[in-house]
Amino acid sequence: MSAPARQIEAAADQRILEHACEHLRRFGPKRTTILDIAEAAGMSHANVYRYFPSKLALFDAVTANWLAALEGQLRVIKEGPDPAYDKLERALSAIQKTYRAKLEADPALFKLLCDAIETNRVVARKHRNKIQGEVQAIVEEGINAGSFRMTDRRRAMALVFDLAHRFIQPISIALDRSIPAPDLAFRAGRAFAAIQRSLVYGDPDFDI
């Protein structure tokens, strides 16, 4: 495929995603149809199916599209010059704040992520693996540099995700939507600080 043809394909794909987001926000997933999205995008529904084989595939693409920014942010944090201690706090805070902000500003699209998690769809598994991979890389950096005394990688990762779960798991964040965002961010910060202390100073009595 030539470069101009690829650009046309990418533009059409993006146009479909934009109209899908608009319809999801206005009507929700049940009332959003491929036919309506195609009409809004100025193309036939058959053409939409060229890009996305089903409505569910389109919804998953919408989900992956907004998650990409968070994944990119975590990658930048991981590759930055800061000590692993600081990177870990920044990464966990970025996850918590991004999810909470999306829940408040764009609840229809956030619900798509929760639905994907509950049904164990590929888009949710890929995102979870990326999140875990970036956090694990930060933890391993701290261990290799000697700044984390908890050197058992399995125990260290279990500690991070067990203690942070309430604040970085989308479904848990949705359940806590009635808690004011500043209050939840404060509580998340305390949990993340406890994780940092356990990794830095070690906790031989912390049995996971």
Side-chain angles (χ1 to χ4, degrees):
M1 183 183 294
S2 65
R6 285 196 297 270
Q7 291 175 353
I8 292 172
E9 291 285 301
D13 182 279
Q14 188 60 36
R15 190 163 75 251
I16 293 168
L17 288 175
E18 289 173 357
H19 287 290
C21 289
E22 180 183 343
H23 279 71
L24 284 162
R25 290 173 180 131
R26 291 176 60 191
F27 307 116
K30 290 185 178 179
R31 294 174 56 203
T32 295
T33 69
I34 293 291
L35 189 62
D36 289 339
I37 293 169
E39 182 178 351
M43 60 179 67
S44 69
H45 70 282
N47 199 40
V48 174
Y49 282 119
R50 284 183 55 235
Y51 296 91
F52 306 100
S54 67
K55 187 167 81 167
L56 189 59
L58 175 55
F59 289 175
D60 285 349
V62 167
T63 301
N65 195 49
W66 75 260
L67 289 173
L70 171 59
E71 294 164 2
Q73 184 180 2
L74 294 179
R75 188 163 54 251
V76 169
I77 292 171
K78 177 197 69 178
E79 295 172 355
D82 301 328
Y85 178 93
D86 292 329
K87 287 183 182 180
L88 182 61
E89 189 278 332
R90 288 177 58 204
L92 295 176
S93 293
I95 298 168
Q96 190 270 326
K97 291 176 181 177
T98 298
Y99 285 158
R100 177 63 188 234
K102 192 68 175 181
L103 171 65
E104 293 184 345
D106 218 345
L109 299 196
F110 189 81
K111 188 177 186 306
L112 288 184
L113 173 60
C114 293
D115 291 344
I117 292 170
E118 289 180 331
T119 54
N120 196 33
R121 295 208 300 277
V122 172
V123 66
R125 295 200 303 272
K126 284 185 175 180
H127 176 64
R128 181 175 63 244
N129 289 340
K130 288 178 182 178
I131 294 289
Q132 291 178 346
E134 302 295 5
V135 172
Q136 181 172 343
I138 293 171
V139 171
E140 289 182 347
E141 178 184 328
I143 292 173
N144 294 334
S147 54
F148 290 167
R149 291 186 184 176
M150 183 179 286
T151 57
D152 185 314
R153 286 163 170 76
R154 183 191 65 82
R155 293 181 70 240
M157 289 300 295
L159 181 142
V160 171
F161 285 104
D162 285 351
L163 297 190
H165 183 273
R166 178 179 184 179
F167 306 104
I168 64 171
Q169 211 283 345
I171 294 175
S172 295
I173 288 174
L175 291 173
D176 280 338
R177 69 193 315 158
S178 63
I179 300 176
D183 293 349
L184 198 63
F186 174 75
R187 291 161 69 173
R190 289 193 305 180
F192 301 158
I195 292 169
Q196 289 171 296
R197 286 194 298 271
S198 294
L199 292 175
V200 169
Y201 298 111
D203 188 356
D205 297 324
F206 196 104
D207 187 15
I208 299 177

